[in-house]
């Protein structure tokens, strides 16, 4: 994701909404790293060596952030009757709690807008079901939701050509006055 890009690449985002979001997220991550690493290195120097750099921390965050699924898919604290389901066309924002669950091998699936897929989780297993059918030997796609290129780049590190869900946030300044117009 752009948070771990070298400075010369991040400067290309300057003046954009994505650039502002990347700068804000990176500043938070740099603060977290600066606050926790000295404590971790003091408590466990054998585990937290000089290899635990800010660059590695940013890379690890990007790997987790871009590959995580909703925490609802994790069954570690659920009873045996637990069940959860989400269709690709449903809004995922409500389920994003800032944590997430990594699902081995499912993070290898690429995004394709419009793909009809259902994510299901129980205490026993996680399944991804395509309602479109998949030919033998064909790529199985996931659907990350109807996201703008700005969101896709910030979260997953890529953008789509001719993205039908693309948007651009426009910031306007409005001057408020007690005077009537033309007065």
């Amino acid at each position: 994701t752009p948070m771990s890009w070298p400075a010369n690449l991040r400067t290309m985002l300057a003046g954009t909404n994505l650039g502002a979001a990347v700068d804000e997220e990176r500043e938070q991550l740099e603060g977290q790293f600066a606050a926790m690493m000295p404590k971790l290195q003091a408590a466990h120097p054998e585990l937290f060596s000089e290899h635990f750099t800010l660059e590695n921390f940013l890379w690890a965050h990007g790997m987790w952030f871009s590959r995580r699924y909703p925490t609802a898919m994790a069954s570690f604290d659920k009873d045996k009757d637990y069940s959860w389901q989400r269709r690709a066309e449903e809004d995922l924002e409500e389920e994003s709690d800032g944590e997430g669950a990594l699902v081995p091998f499912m993070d290898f699936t690429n995004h394709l807008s419009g793909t009809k897929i259902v994510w299901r989780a129980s205490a026993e297993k996680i399944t991804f079901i395509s309602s479109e059918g998949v030919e033998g030997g064909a790529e199985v796609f996931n659907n990350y939701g109807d996201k703008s290129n700005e969101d896709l780049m910030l979260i997953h590190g890529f953008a789509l050509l001719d993205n039908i869900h693309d948007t651009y946030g426009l910031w306007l300044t409005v001057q408020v006055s007690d005077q009537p117009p033309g007065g």
Side-chain angles (χ1 to χ4, degrees):
T1 63
M3 274 71 74
S4 63
W5 289 1
N8 64 324
L9 292 180
R10 287 194 322 273
T11 59
M12 294 189 305
L13 302 175
T16 67
N17 293 332
L18 178 59
V22 167
D23 289 346
E24 181 181 336
E25 180 73 15
R26 187 175 168 106
E27 185 177 317
Q28 289 177 7
L29 291 169
E30 288 173 353
Q32 290 172 2
F33 182 83
M36 76 176 161
M37 283 314 293
K39 295 174 187 173
L40 290 171
Q41 288 172 331
H44 300 286
E46 72 284 2
L47 296 176
F48 296 97
S49 68
E50 69 278 357
H51 299 291
F52 284 85
T53 63
L54 174 61
E55 290 74 26
N56 289 340
F57 177 72
L58 293 170
W59 175 86
H61 177 270
M63 292 299 104
W64 166 78
F65 193 69
S66 67
R67 289 167 165 74
R68 68 186 175 140
Y69 285 88
T71 306
M73 292 184 75
S75 63
F76 62 89
D77 63 348
K78 311 294 191 287
D79 64 35
K80 64 180 179 75
D81 297 324
Y82 175 72
S83 178
W84 176 85
Q85 175 175 301
R86 179 196 169 264
R87 296 185 185 285
E89 58 273 11
E90 294 172 359
D91 187 16
L92 186 57
E93 295 303 317
E94 299 164 5
E95 298 152 6
S96 185
D97 59 9
E99 294 180 4
L102 294 179
V103 182
F105 300 107
M106 289 315 300
D107 66 337
F108 293 143
T109 57
N110 288 316
H111 169 73
L112 182 64
S113 292
T115 296
K116 305 285 188 220
I117 191 157
V118 177
W119 304 347
R120 288 189 184 148
S122 70
E124 301 291 319
K125 62 185 175 184
I126 294 173
T127 56
F128 290 65
I129 302 165
S130 172
S131 60
E132 299 173 322
V134 179
E135 294 290 325
E139 181 174 0
V140 176
F141 287 98
N142 200 347
N143 186 338
Y144 301 168
D146 298 341
K147 290 185 170 47
S148 68
N149 277 338
E150 187 174 285
D151 286 341
L152 288 170
M153 183 62 74
L154 183 66
I155 298 167
H156 302 287
F158 71 89
L160 299 173
L161 184 63
D162 299 323
N163 183 352
I164 63 169
H165 303 291
D166 208 7
T167 60
Y168 182 80
L170 181 61
W171 296 89
L172 301 175
T173 302
V174 178
Q175 184 175 2
V176 178
S177 173
D178 292 337
Q179 302 295 319

